[in-house]
């Protein structure tokens, strides 16, 4: 299988790509799905959602003080 970065993968292999998607190669082709949840319901006036590409996770923090986390009420994958 040839991925979007031009890298070849053998049938039956699994990897996490640079966009934090879990991928696998089969004879049918490449299949990828997200490895992270995207926060959708939180106080958007007071807080901001920040994606960490190293850990493949979102963190919702106060806009004025990123050391203070905000509650997440709903997320999608």
């Amino acid at each position: 299988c040839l991925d979007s970065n031009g890298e070849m993968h053998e049938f039956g292999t699994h990897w996490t790509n640079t966009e934090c998607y879990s991928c696998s190669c089969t004879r049918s082709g490449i299949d990828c799905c997200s490895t992270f949840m995207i926060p959708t319901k939180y106080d958007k006036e007071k807080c901001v959602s920040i994606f960490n590409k190293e850990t493949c996770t979102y963190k919702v923090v106060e806009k004025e003080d990123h050391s203070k986390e905000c509650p997440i009420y709903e997320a999608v994958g």
Side-chain angles (χ1 to χ4, degrees):
C1 299
L2 183 64
D3 70 16
S4 60
N5 294 328
E7 196 173 325
M8 290 293 291
H9 299 273
E10 292 184 27
F11 294 131
T13 58
H14 302 271
W15 68 96
T16 300
N17 70 14
T18 57
E19 300 301 316
C20 294
Y21 283 81
S22 176
C23 301
S24 62
C25 173
T26 66
R27 294 199 182 277
S28 302
I30 294 177
D31 184 39
C32 297
C33 61
S34 69
T35 61
F36 51 88
M37 298 296 287
I38 301 169
T40 55
K41 287 191 180 176
Y42 57 90
D43 185 344
K44 293 182 179 161
E45 288 183 25
K46 180 181 175 183
C47 306
V48 63
S49 173
I50 299 173
F51 186 68
N52 181 331
K53 210 168 181 178
E54 289 181 23
T55 62
C56 297
T57 58
Y58 276 94
K59 190 174 187 179
V60 178
V61 294
E62 290 185 5
K63 290 178 182 178
E64 301 299 318
D65 185 353
H66 286 193
S67 70
K68 294 181 181 176
E69 289 193 43
C70 298
I72 300 168
Y73 304 110
E74 187 174 300
V76 296

